[in-house]
Amino acid sequence: MKRVMIPDEEYKQRIARAAKLAGERGLDILVVNGSEADYANTRYLSGFWPVFERAGVAITPSGDCALMVGPESQIFASDFGHIDKVRVLREYRESANPQYPELHPTNFREVFKELGVTGDHIKIGMAAWLDTNLVIYEGIKECYPEAELIRCDDIMTTLRSVKSVNEIACLREAARITEIATKEVIKALRPGVTELQMVGIAQKAIYENGGEYEGLPLYVFSEKSTQHAISRSSYREIQKGDIVQINLAAKIDGYSPSIGMPVSMGPLAGLKKELVEFCLKAHMWTEKQLKAGVTAADVAKDFIKYFQENGYGENLLYGPCHGLGLIEVEAPWMETISDYPLLPNMTFQIDTFAMGPNFGLRWEKPIVITENGCDLLSPQIGTIHEIEC
């Protein structure tokens, strides 16, 4: 069976689009940085996902480009990446901070000159500001003390917000594998197992069924730790009566949709039952609001109102949706200040989180926006699982 992936030609198209946007902004060069943890922007342009070290992509308005990596990654990046020019810079080294006294690396001025950028008073666009560490920033300033550094995060958001056919195919395949892993964890849940043991079940299913990697630190939280909006699974033993939150994600060529749902260890009762059922209704309400042309802020405002009008305003932590693609959470979010319209082939996670006094829960799934609504990238969720104990 042909592997679902992003083809080489699409990476070339991405570079060309980024170059055009750089030219429209009057930049001499665009620099995009990333790391092992926050790889999305650099992997989008190059296909390369570093280990330990950092990585950067430099693109000129004419479309010439280079992949910049740390001292240990040149061969690795050449084998895995889709950019021919791979250059080693000390600034992209790992956090152990080796000095590599025998190394003769290049620097930003030499890389930029090779790409045809000359002069001192140049405009350098920085399109991944949060992923640019101080060492990289100072390395650029040392080479170009008179340059203007311009924050251009919006360029990457523009490039990545609307997905291609191949990107959507990767998301669907990753969601297929995630559903398998979710079913395996639910099947294995019982009192006395640890959260981490259940993570192991999920990992096995992900890799056995074709996943490249986990799409996020896999969530299997129980009882009190279900209040954590983001967290890590632990050695805690799952007990009878617990509510267990499952959020799993497989990765295919970097694309990482998530499926999330609460599971009860025994019959649901009281506020737990009430919130699980209401949160599911709010989740399905959100799905019905999504279609091309709708303003994201309106969905967010009406989502908050829906919680408040039903008497659960104090139980709302956040929502209703966040962007999805390379890594499980990406721009744009849907917030009350999000004034952008939804467009066909934008992808989101419908992420509906509610908080009780000593527990939390979320229903979550991936979708793609269409002209008349949204299509699910995974099978529909909504079964309320109550495990016999």
Side-chain angles (χ1 to χ4, degrees):
M1 186 175 70
K2 186 177 179 182
R3 184 162 71 89
V4 179
M5 59 186 292
I6 305 299
D8 182 70
E9 181 58 31
E10 190 158 321
Y11 287 102
K12 292 178 171 58
Q13 293 167 0
R14 293 171 177 183
I15 292 292
R17 290 169 57 215
K20 183 175 184 292
L21 291 172
E24 290 172 355
R25 291 287 288 271
L27 303 175
D28 293 290
I29 197 160
L30 177 70
V31 176
V32 183
N33 295 310
S35 64
E36 181 177 9
D38 287 303
Y39 63 82
N41 287 315
T42 46
R43 187 169 184 180
Y44 180 84
L45 294 167
S46 70
F48 177 61
W49 180 14
V51 175
F52 297 125
E53 297 183 325
R54 282 76 177 156
V57 177
I59 306 170
T60 68
S62 67
D64 206 352
C65 62
L67 174 57
M68 301 175 290
V69 300
E72 297 181 47
S73 295
Q74 185 169 24
I75 298 173
F76 172 29
S78 297
D79 287 347
F80 276 72
H82 294 262
I83 292 177
D84 293 333
K85 292 174 185 169
V86 179
R87 301 295 179 259
V88 173
L89 281 74
R90 197 189 305 271
E91 285 83 356
Y92 291 99
R93 65 190 180 273
E94 63 183 87
S95 59
N97 197 24
Q99 296 304 296
Y100 301 105
E102 291 76 36
L103 179 71
H104 300 287
T106 187
N107 60 38
F108 288 103
R109 181 173 282 273
E110 291 170 348
V111 173
F112 293 2
K113 184 179 179 182
E114 184 182 359
L115 299 180
V117 178
T118 58
D120 296 316
H121 300 276
I122 64 173
K123 290 185 177 181
I124 303 172
M126 306 293 287
W129 196 264
L130 284 173
D131 301 320
T132 299
N133 65 23
L134 188 59
V135 173
I136 295 170
Y137 182 87
E138 288 180 339
I140 294 173
K141 290 297 291 183
E142 184 178 341
C143 287
Y144 289 98
E146 298 175 275
E148 182 181 359
L149 270 61
I150 302 167
R151 185 168 181 171
C152 299
D153 297 304
D154 59 295
I155 287 180
M156 292 310 301
T157 302
T158 298
L159 288 170
R160 292 172 53 196
S161 291
V162 176
K163 302 300 189 291
S164 70
V165 170
N166 291 312
E167 289 179 290
I168 291 171
C170 287
L171 288 167
R172 286 192 190 279
E173 175 63 4
R176 180 190 70 82
I177 297 167
T178 302
E179 186 199 17
I180 293 171
T182 301
K183 287 179 177 177
E184 290 299 311
V185 169
I186 292 171
K187 192 190 305 182
L189 272 174
R190 63 185 186 277
V193 300
T194 69
E195 296 172 356
L196 285 168
Q197 281 177 303
M198 296 301 95
V199 169
I201 296 288
Q203 288 176 324
K204 181 175 183 289
I206 286 170
Y207 290 115
E208 280 184 342
N209 288 280
E212 171 191 60
Y213 206 76
E214 302 100 277
L216 47 68
L218 301 181
Y219 289 10
V220 182
F221 305 153
S222 56
E223 202 56 15
K224 186 178 179 181
S225 63
T226 57
Q227 290 184 303
H228 302 171
I230 52 176
S231 187
R232 296 186 186 274
S233 298
S234 73
Y235 289 99
R236 184 185 185 279
E237 288 190 2
I238 294 167
Q239 305 294 329
K240 183 177 179 179
D242 282 356
I243 193 165
V244 177
Q245 178 63 43
I246 300 173
N247 259 83
L248 306 179
K251 193 188 299 288
I252 289 290
D253 217 4
Y255 289 82
S256 308
S258 175
I259 297 173
M261 63 190 68
V263 176
S264 179
M265 304 304 292
L268 279 167
L271 183 59
K272 283 182 181 177
K273 180 178 175 65
E274 203 178 296
L275 268 182
V276 166
E277 291 177 348
F278 170 74
C279 202
L280 179 57
K281 288 179 183 176
H283 183 85
M284 297 305 180
W285 174 92
T286 302
E287 182 183 326
K288 292 177 182 176
Q289 313 310 306
L290 305 179
K291 67 177 181 178
V294 171
T295 301
D298 291 343
V299 179
K301 291 172 185 175
D302 289 345
F303 178 78
I304 293 171
K305 190 184 298 182
Y306 186 85
F307 266 75
Q308 292 171 339
E309 289 178 349
N310 283 277
Y312 295 99
E314 293 183 358
N315 301 105
L316 174 62
L317 181 64
Y318 70 84
C321 302
H322 59 74
L324 163 68
L326 280 163
I327 74 174
E328 193 263 356
V329 181
E330 68 176 41
W333 280 55
M334 286 191 202
E335 300 176 285
T336 55
I337 57 172
S338 302
D339 60 358
Y340 65 89
L342 304 186
L343 300 173
N345 286 359
M346 294 180 86
T347 53
F348 294 92
Q349 290 284 138
I350 303 179
D351 186 352
T352 316
F353 190 100
M355 185 89 74
N358 57 1
F359 69 95
L361 67 108
R362 60 151 61 90
W363 295 94
E364 184 168 7
K365 65 176 177 250
I367 61 93
V368 57
I369 300 296
T370 66
E371 291 286 356
N372 300 313
C374 67
D375 284 345
L376 305 188
L377 294 171
S378 69
Q380 183 62 277
I381 60 174
T383 299
I384 297 175
H385 293 278
E386 296 172 288
I387 306 296
E388 291 187 18
C389 299

